[in-house]
């Protein structure tokens, strides 16, 4: 395994190549274990893999590893911050048991990131947790929704306004089916590659989209740039074929953690996965300059309209 990426004092962390991005750790429990201090790795664009850290299902929960619990309206069964369970179908007692399983995963994920990233304590905000029951290969999708293409996460209806997306994943497949990823080039290289093709939004379009409730908040120039990067990468088949990339597998029983707005990734195969999202303002990072917001501002040479973090 490559050695640790440790930033010298006053300098940026080294950006990993796709072959260097995967970092393995031997932790076996979400809550129990050392306080890891891995901020510099995840902020540099590494994927942290815990190959022997399963999310342990309780009695009767294996039944939920079946697509029949999905109502077919979304690719995920998700638990919102409000406690609302979306995308599921079944009897009330069954849905309550399903909710309890996802809630337990959300709680254990919070314990994990608290332990791995002491710098972020009190600064992370939990988002949705989800169960993803469908096979990656059989999902019908447009090219924009095709997650088998390398991309960074950006959402048309939900502007992030510079806030980071830290995600905890675990493969809960009951057999031997790995979750198969491709990991792409470092975000600064990706931004430099596509920067000449980025275009500003039309004047007034952000306010119009918000007024029409197409977006949940005003899009900033940062969100405009990230959405274009997402689409430019996915629509460029030459890039998908020829860009620097490496294959990474996550076997059943493994958990991995990544900033999905920074690490170019593509999901090539697998079924039955759980995911928890956390939000972090770039000012709360160990090295704020590594955030996509700051990288894009340097590459484009201009402010991207993201408001300062609230006290």
């Amino acid at each position: 395994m490559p050695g640790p990426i440790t930033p010298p004092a006053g300098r940026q962390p080294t950006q990993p190549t796709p072959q260097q991005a995967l970092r393995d750790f031997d932790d076996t429990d979400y809550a129990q274990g050392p306080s890891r201090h891995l901020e510099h790795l995840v902020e540099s664009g590494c994927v942290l893999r815990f190959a022997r850290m399963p999310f342990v299902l309780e009695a009767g929960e294996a039944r939920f590893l079946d697509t029949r619990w999905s109502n077919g309206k979304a690719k995920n069964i998700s638990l919102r911050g409000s406690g609302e369970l979306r995308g599921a179908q079944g009897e009330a007692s069954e849905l309550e048991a399903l909710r309890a399983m996802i809630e337990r995963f959300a709680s254990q994920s919070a314990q994990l990131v608290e332990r791995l990233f002491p710098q972020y304590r009190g600064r992370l905000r939990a988002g949705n947790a989800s169960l993803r029951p469908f096979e990656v290969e059989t999902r019908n999708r447009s090219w924009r929704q095709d997650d088998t293409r390398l991309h960074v996460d950006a959402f048309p209806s939900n502007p992030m306004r510079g806030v980071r997306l830290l995600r905890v994943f675990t493969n809960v497949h009951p057999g031997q089916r790995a979750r198969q990823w491709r990991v792409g080039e470092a975000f600064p290289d990706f931004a430099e590659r596509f920067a000449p093709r980025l275009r500003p939004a039309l004047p007034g379009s952000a306010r119009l989209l918000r007024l029409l409730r197409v977006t949940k908040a005003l899009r900033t120039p940062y969100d405009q740039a990230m959405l274009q990067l997402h689409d430019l990468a996915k629509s460029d088949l030459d890039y998908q074929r020829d860009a620097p990339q490496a294959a990474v597998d996550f076997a059943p029983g493994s958990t991995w953690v990544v900033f999905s707005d920074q690490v170019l990734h593509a999901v090539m195969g697998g079924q039955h996965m759980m995911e928890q999202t956390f939000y972090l303002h770039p000012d709360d990072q160990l090295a704020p300059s590594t955030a996509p917001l700051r990288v894009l501002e340097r590459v484009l040479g201009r402010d991207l309209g993201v408001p300062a973090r609230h006290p």
Side-chain angles (χ1 to χ4, degrees):
M1 184 180 77
I5 297 177
T6 304
R11 294 183 58 187
Q12 303 293 326
T14 303
Q15 300 295 317
T17 66
Q19 290 73 24
Q20 295 172 326
L22 183 66
R23 299 297 166 121
D24 281 303
F25 298 89
D26 58 7
D27 304 47
T28 59
D29 189 276
Y30 284 72
Q32 303 299 317
S35 183
R36 282 289 191 178
H37 298 274
L38 300 178
E39 295 88 352
H40 65 289
L41 285 179
V42 75
E43 290 177 14
S44 72
C46 288
V47 180
L48 313 183
R49 181 172 64 181
F50 303 86
R52 297 184 297 121
M53 187 189 289
F55 174 66
V56 179
L57 301 182
E58 295 184 350
E61 289 181 340
R63 61 182 161 150
F64 296 127
L65 304 182
D66 192 306
T67 57
R68 68 188 175 91
W69 299 100
S70 169
N71 64 13
K73 297 179 181 179
K75 66 180 181 180
N76 303 331
I77 296 171
S78 61
L79 181 66
R80 304 286 167 157
S82 63
E84 178 187 5
L85 188 67
R86 289 190 186 179
Q89 64 180 359
E91 299 295 331
S93 60
E94 295 169 329
L95 294 181
E96 188 56 37
L98 176 55
R99 180 201 311 274
M101 183 182 81
I102 300 176
E103 283 180 341
R104 194 172 76 258
F105 174 71
S107 175
Q108 291 185 14
S109 296
Q111 292 176 309
L112 177 63
V113 296
E114 174 101 351
R115 183 167 67 77
L116 299 182
F117 313 116
Q119 168 76 16
Y120 303 159
R121 288 174 184 167
R123 298 177 171 90
L124 287 172
R125 178 169 57 90
N128 297 337
S130 65
L131 170 65
R132 304 184 180 186
F134 291 100
E135 287 186 314
V136 170
E137 301 91 331
T138 59
R139 285 207 310 261
N140 294 323
R141 56 214 160 208
S142 69
W143 65 267
R144 280 192 177 89
Q145 297 172 319
D146 184 358
D147 288 343
T148 67
R149 304 186 187 201
L150 285 167
H151 64 284
V152 288
D153 285 347
F155 311 115
S157 64
N158 190 18
M160 289 292 97
R161 301 167 67 83
V163 171
R164 306 300 315 277
L165 295 168
L166 181 67
R167 290 186 145 164
V168 177
F169 301 96
T170 190
N171 184 350
V172 290
H173 193 275
Q176 301 299 315
R177 188 82 179 276
R179 196 78 172 181
Q180 298 170 310
W181 274 28
R182 288 185 292 141
V183 174
E185 64 185 332
F187 186 84
D189 297 334
F190 171 60
E192 290 275 5
R193 184 189 299 270
F194 285 103
R197 297 164 63 180
L198 297 180
R199 299 292 180 264
L202 294 173
S205 61
R207 291 191 178 279
L208 179 61
L209 290 171
R210 182 69 186 102
L211 181 65
L212 296 175
R213 298 186 178 180
V214 174
T215 60
K216 299 177 183 179
L218 283 176
R219 276 185 191 169
T220 64
Y222 167 79
D223 297 295
Q224 176 73 8
M226 288 294 285
L227 284 170
Q228 288 184 73
L229 288 174
H230 174 279
D231 290 355
L232 287 168
K234 282 192 173 182
S235 63
D236 190 333
L237 296 183
D238 290 337
Y239 179 76
Q240 293 294 323
R241 182 187 65 242
D242 300 331
Q245 56 193 279
V248 176
D249 283 359
F250 304 99
S254 62
T255 293
W256 61 106
V257 185
V258 63
F259 273 122
S260 65
D261 56 334
Q262 178 180 5
V263 173
L264 278 145
H265 59 286
V267 186
M268 308 308 296
Q271 185 179 16
H272 302 308
M273 183 187 74
M274 300 189 74
E275 180 269 337
Q276 170 69 56
T277 297
F278 296 93
Y279 302 115
L280 181 74
H281 195 281
D283 290 349
D284 290 326
Q285 292 186 206
L286 182 68
S289 59
T290 63
L293 168 65
R294 305 306 178 201
V295 172
L296 284 170
E297 287 181 333
R298 290 195 299 274
V299 169
L300 299 175
R302 57 188 171 88
D303 181 85
L304 291 180
V306 170
R309 175 175 56 83
H310 296 298

